[in-house]
Amino acid sequence: MVLGLVFAPLNIPLRRRLQTLSVVFGVSLFFLGHVFPWIFIVLALIFLPGLAPLLIVYLFWIYVWDRDTPSRGGRRFGFCRKMPVWKYFRDYFPVELVRTSVLDPDKNYVFCCHPHGVISVGHFTVFGTEATGFSRVFPGITPHLLTLDLNFRPPLLRDLLMAHGVCACNKLSCHNCLNMGPGHSIALIIGGAAESLEARPKSTTLVLKQRRGFIKVALRTGSSLVPVFAFGENDLFKQVNNPPGSLLRRVQTRFKDTMGFAPPIFYGRGIFNYSMGILPHRRPVHVIVGKPIAVEKIENPTSDQMQQVYDLYEKSLTELFDTHKTEYGLDASTQLIIT
């Protein structure tokens, strides 16, 4: 220990070094993916000016010709989802996919993911890659993980996200993905930015009660709702205390309402130390996929119909949580807090 920091020993096996390197890659995409592409383009223009025409064509293509593709089902490449880096990423924590029910590949599903955590490690690993064997566990199901529209604005990052089957999170995108054919499904992280502000070890607080968009999408498309809970997701980072009503929470909420994403003040571990940094801690994440809830297709659902389906969903989610909580590190007395 030096200056309060616990440093990693030098004789760590190569396998663990590669796992850490893969997480550095993944976390860099999340935190710096909006900056790196522009730095790359500027440097290319300075040192390789001959690439300027090609870059101009590329930028025109992504911002004019191809701009709506993230909302039209994306452009996935299976080899990207199966890259070895994601297996090392999975094993770092590790992340485990647990199936509780067989899913019919002739149907469409809305996977409702909880909790958001700081960067949704578990949900990305399960639905954005093949590291946990999603296609083997759920044959015939094609998942489309949805994320904020703003993540598709930077060049290169947008194409990398789409290559992993990730699409934009908006109404048009939800309907397009679910209407692509049997088995095509979407994975929504329901709590969104607001829930990331609740992400701290052992927290079981979800932001859900006022969310009805996912219910409306399921009703209009006749897609079954599937509750998904990632035990351990909130244990990966610590967050500065920001109770509701505090000055920090008010500032964070105002930022979220203005910018569309929240700025949780968090910390984890570093590359060479275990005490401080922006890398997640090595703690297991178990992503439990619950039983599907059949939803009758209703083109224009009423508020009462949406409330009825919501009540059924909340009950199913709570049962999923209560059934598995003691198996994955929580006390029997721990309650799921839904706000």
Side-chain angles (χ1 to χ4, degrees):
M1 179 181 295
V2 180
L3 298 177
L5 299 179
V6 179
F7 285 88
L10 296 177
N11 59 341
I12 287 181
L14 176 61
R15 173 180 54 84
R16 289 176 65 86
R17 293 293 190 191
L18 291 174
Q19 291 170 2
T20 302
L21 184 62
S22 70
V23 172
V24 171
F25 170 72
V27 170
S28 296
L29 286 179
F30 185 87
F31 293 117
L32 301 173
H34 288 253
V35 178
F36 277 167
W38 292 113
I39 294 176
F40 172 81
I41 288 175
V42 170
L43 291 177
L45 290 174
I46 293 174
F47 295 104
L48 298 169
L51 290 179
L54 182 61
L55 290 174
I56 291 173
V57 170
Y58 170 67
L59 293 175
F60 175 83
W61 179 65
I62 65 173
Y63 289 123
V64 179
W65 185 261
D66 195 55
R67 64 178 182 180
D68 294 329
T69 299
S71 296
R72 293 178 175 172
R75 185 171 46 245
R76 81 171 51 216
F77 293 101
F79 74 89
C80 287
R81 292 173 56 87
K82 296 177 181 178
M83 288 192 300
V85 64
W86 299 126
K87 292 184 178 180
Y88 286 109
F89 186 91
R90 171 202 64 197
D91 293 341
Y92 172 92
F93 300 96
V95 177
E96 179 190 21
L97 169 60
V98 179
R99 184 185 72 181
T100 63
S101 179
V102 175
L103 299 184
D104 185 347
D106 291 329
K107 296 182 179 180
N108 306 100
Y109 300 92
V110 177
F111 293 98
C112 307
C113 305
H114 314 273
H116 184 286
V118 172
I119 58 175
S120 301
V121 164
H123 303 308
F124 171 75
T125 307
V126 167
F127 296 103
T129 79
E130 284 294 328
T132 57
F134 186 93
S135 295
R136 172 179 50 80
V137 177
F138 296 109
I141 306 298
T142 303
H144 301 266
L145 179 63
L146 304 189
T147 186
L148 295 173
D149 288 29
L150 62 85
N151 288 326
F152 295 93
R153 294 174 186 171
L156 303 180
L157 176 64
R158 70 186 295 275
D159 297 299
L160 184 60
L161 288 174
M162 286 194 291
H164 286 80
V166 182
C167 294
C169 188
N170 56 59
K171 182 172 66 174
L172 176 63
S173 181
C174 289
H175 285 266
N176 283 337
C177 290
L178 291 169
N179 288 322
M180 290 178 68
H184 282 271
S185 305
I186 60 174
L188 293 168
I189 304 175
I190 306 298
E195 197 170 88
S196 69
L197 299 178
E198 303 288 350
R200 50 180 45 84
K202 303 304 178 184
S203 172
T204 58
T205 300
L206 303 182
V207 177
L208 179 62
K209 283 193 178 295
Q210 302 305 314
R211 306 291 167 118
R212 292 295 183 274
F214 72 104
I215 300 292
K216 183 179 290 187
V217 167
L219 282 166
R220 285 183 169 176
T221 60
S223 302
S224 298
L225 292 167
V226 182
V228 179
F229 198 92
F231 289 92
E233 181 70 47
N234 282 340
D235 298 337
L236 302 181
F237 294 97
K238 295 180 181 179
Q239 187 171 171
V240 173
N241 193 34
N242 59 341
S246 65
L247 176 60
L248 176 57
R249 177 62 73 90
R250 293 200 302 271
V251 171
Q252 290 173 319
T253 301
R254 178 63 64 86
F255 185 94
K256 172 184 69 67
D257 293 341
T258 302
M259 302 299 294
F261 64 95
I265 303 177
F266 65 93
Y267 57 96
R269 55 159 290 183
I271 299 176
F272 302 110
N273 79 84
Y274 298 135
S275 305
M276 185 64 66
I278 64 170
L279 296 187
H281 290 289
R282 284 182 180 265
R283 291 169 185 162
V285 179
H286 306 277
V287 181
I288 317 300
V289 179
K291 297 179 180 179
I293 304 167
V295 176
E296 179 184 359
K297 185 174 182 178
I298 302 175
E299 189 65 32
N300 295 299
T302 65
S303 296
D304 289 342
Q305 289 170 326
M306 286 192 291
Q307 185 63 44
Q308 184 179 6
V309 174
Y310 171 83
D311 291 340
L312 186 62
Y313 175 77
E314 184 178 313
K315 179 181 178 182
S316 179
L317 173 63
T318 302
E319 290 176 351
L320 179 70
F321 176 83
D322 289 339
T323 299
H324 297 278
K325 61 185 178 183
T326 56
E327 185 178 356
Y328 298 115
L330 296 177
D331 296 331
S333 60
T334 303
Q335 299 295 313
L336 187 63
I337 302 171
I338 298 179
T339 60

